[in-house]
Amino acid sequence: MWTYLWQNFLIDSKVRSYIADKVYKLFHSSDSKCLIEIWPGKWAITKLIDQTSPTFILIEKDPDLTVKLQAKKENSELNFTQLINQDVLEVDVPSVLSQYSIPPSQTIVVWNLPYYITSPILTKFFWLWKQDFAWWIFMVQDEVWERISSSANKKSYLRRILNFAYEVKYLKQIWAKSFSPPPKVKSCLIALTPKSSLPDIEFWDFVEFLDIYSPFSRKTLNAIQKISIKQDKKYYNIPENLSKKRLEELNFSDIKQIFDSK
């Protein structure tokens, strides 16, 4: 019953305390007004952070765990504002926040998710809902960290979306024995920290550019431009100095140069 959604429950008390302390300090140093925990599971973190924010929202997919969480609240063992029993991919989080007149920019999100769903959730939160949330703290497998860190060799679609407005920070390695059942992959705790300044390009123009060029990431920009013209699709005027580069070689300044090219 506990693992049919492939969850690995955090059982290490030191790691739980570390996360709770990090959440508390970030919340009170960032002028936040809301805390969201995605998939609280067996409330290992929940019970340590449930006094942090006056507005505390839980999103839990497992109906059995939802019943147990609600019972905990009724018995005054947990304190939260709202419990949503739904797949987070189906929840319109900004609309939920609007009920409390709280913007995403004053919201911190924390999670310990099954790793198979990490990329879909990151894509939804940072693509569909742009780049508005204040802080993120979550567990990922090391492989994901290596793909989305700012120093990643290959600049994947997800890595570019996340790094548009956030610094991706490595916080702590989490050993397999810290979970039950132990995962078969290496894990780490990371945080997304809002950048003080954003790239000098429009976010949705950037997303559209990625949508067009990402499927051909191994080809040069000049080659992709020719394909787009041949297929009668939107294309960009590529400056000569960038024409032989591939998408993964571009930085934000290069992309701005492309956008500014007539």
Side-chain angles (χ1 to χ4, degrees):
M1 178 177 70
W2 293 104
T3 59
Y4 83 100
L5 292 173
W6 299 282
Q7 293 193 73
N8 302 92
F9 297 100
L10 186 61
I11 59 174
D12 189 315
S13 60
K14 290 184 178 179
V15 175
R16 292 188 306 218
S17 294
Y18 175 89
I19 296 173
D21 183 62
K22 183 69 68 175
V23 170
Y24 181 86
K25 289 179 179 178
L26 290 178
F27 187 90
H28 291 287
S29 65
S30 62
D31 192 33
S32 293
K33 294 183 177 179
C34 180
L35 179 61
I36 295 176
E37 186 181 9
I38 301 174
W39 283 33
K42 295 182 181 180
W43 49 90
I45 301 298
T46 315
K47 62 185 179 183
L48 300 179
I49 63 175
D50 67 344
Q51 301 296 326
T52 301
S53 171
T55 305
F56 184 29
I57 299 170
L58 306 181
I59 302 175
E60 173 59 61
K61 181 177 180 179
D62 187 326
D64 293 328
L65 289 173
T66 299
V67 171
K68 294 176 184 295
L69 284 162
Q70 191 61 48
K72 288 285 182 180
K73 180 177 182 179
E74 293 172 0
N75 293 332
S76 300
E77 296 177 65
L78 284 178
N79 175 51
F80 51 82
T81 309
Q82 183 176 358
L83 173 59
I84 302 172
N85 178 206
Q86 196 173 356
D87 186 337
V88 66
L89 292 175
E90 299 173 358
V91 178
D92 186 344
V93 175
S95 292
V96 172
L97 291 174
S98 69
Q99 300 173 24
Y100 304 96
S101 300
I102 298 174
S105 61
Q106 292 182 307
T107 303
I108 288 180
V109 184
V110 60
W111 85 47
N112 172 31
L113 289 174
Y115 291 157
Y116 76 92
I117 202 173
T118 298
S119 290
I121 288 182
L122 286 174
T123 300
K124 178 164 185 173
F125 272 86
F126 294 95
W127 179 83
L128 180 60
W129 296 324
K130 207 177 172 184
Q131 305 283 331
D132 296 330
F133 291 86
W135 278 81
W136 287 75
I137 302 175
F138 52 95
M139 211 86 67
V140 297
Q141 62 188 90
D142 275 12
E143 179 184 332
V144 173
W145 157 254
E146 291 168 359
R147 286 194 287 112
I148 67 176
S149 66
S150 58
S151 60
N153 291 329
K154 292 188 177 180
K155 299 175 177 60
S156 66
Y157 186 104
L158 182 56
R159 182 260 188 206
R160 288 183 177 278
I161 293 295
L162 295 180
N163 282 266
F164 183 90
Y166 291 86
E167 299 288 350
V168 185
K169 295 185 176 182
Y170 188 100
L171 297 179
K172 186 179 182 65
Q173 182 177 10
I174 310 296
W175 302 103
K177 64 182 180 181
S178 298
F179 300 91
S180 178
K184 296 180 180 179
V185 296
K186 294 181 180 179
S187 305
C188 62
L189 189 70
I190 68 174
L192 299 186
T193 308
K195 290 181 176 179
S196 57
S197 61
L198 300 181
D200 190 21
I201 55 178
E202 289 296 325
F203 177 76
W204 291 115
D205 291 341
F206 176 58
V207 169
E208 182 178 38
F209 176 78
L210 292 181
D211 286 341
I212 293 172
Y213 280 78
S214 290
F216 308 99
S217 58
R218 294 186 179 182
K219 296 183 180 295
T220 64
L221 300 184
N222 188 51
I224 299 173
Q225 182 191 48
K226 291 179 179 179
I227 292 173
S228 297
I229 293 173
K230 186 176 182 179
Q231 295 180 350
D232 197 27
K233 295 181 178 179
K234 180 175 179 177
Y235 66 91
Y236 296 82
N237 293 318
I238 306 299
E240 182 63 29
N241 65 311
L242 300 176
S243 63
K244 294 183 179 180
K245 285 191 173 185
R246 293 178 172 81
L247 179 61
E248 66 180 33
E249 298 177 285
L250 301 182
N251 55 38
F252 287 118
S253 295
D254 293 331
I255 295 173
K256 176 174 172 51
Q257 185 182 352
I258 293 171
F259 288 173
D260 291 343
S261 181
K262 305 298 182 181

